[in-house]
Amino acid sequence: MTEEEFLKEFGFRLKMSRMKRGFTQAQLGEMVEISEHRISQIENGKCNITLKSVSKIFDALGISFEKWFNF
């Protein structure tokens, strides 16, 4: 899997998780102190994301690293 494919897949899965929990991009962004625009970029696979930001988002959405990355 290329980096571009990984970012798109990660973003898609994140978007589905966010929507499943009923949050808008703006609401999630507010919860994790990341702009709505940045959330959009992440979900569309347009940018890299730090582990710190991943951790904040996963906490807000109730996602575990272990299940997401199959550790």
Side-chain angles (χ1 to χ4, degrees), residues 30-42:
E30 229 177 86
M31 291 168 59
V32 298
E33 299 176 337
I34 297 173
S35 73
E36 178 181 356
H37 178 73
R38 183 75 167 166
I39 297 291
S40 175
Q41 288 180 319
I42 294 165

Side-chain angles (χ1 to χ4, degrees), residues 9-39:
E9 179 65 21
F10 181 89
F12 176 77
R13 290 180 66 197
L14 186 63
K15 180 179 182 177
M16 294 299 104
S17 295
R18 174 185 57 77
M19 292 175 70
K20 181 179 176 182
R21 286 158 181 84
F23 294 118
T24 65
Q25 289 177 340
Q27 289 170 323
L28 179 59
E30 229 177 86
M31 291 168 59
V32 298
E33 299 176 337
I34 297 173
S35 73
E36 178 181 356
H37 178 73
R38 183 75 167 166
I39 297 291

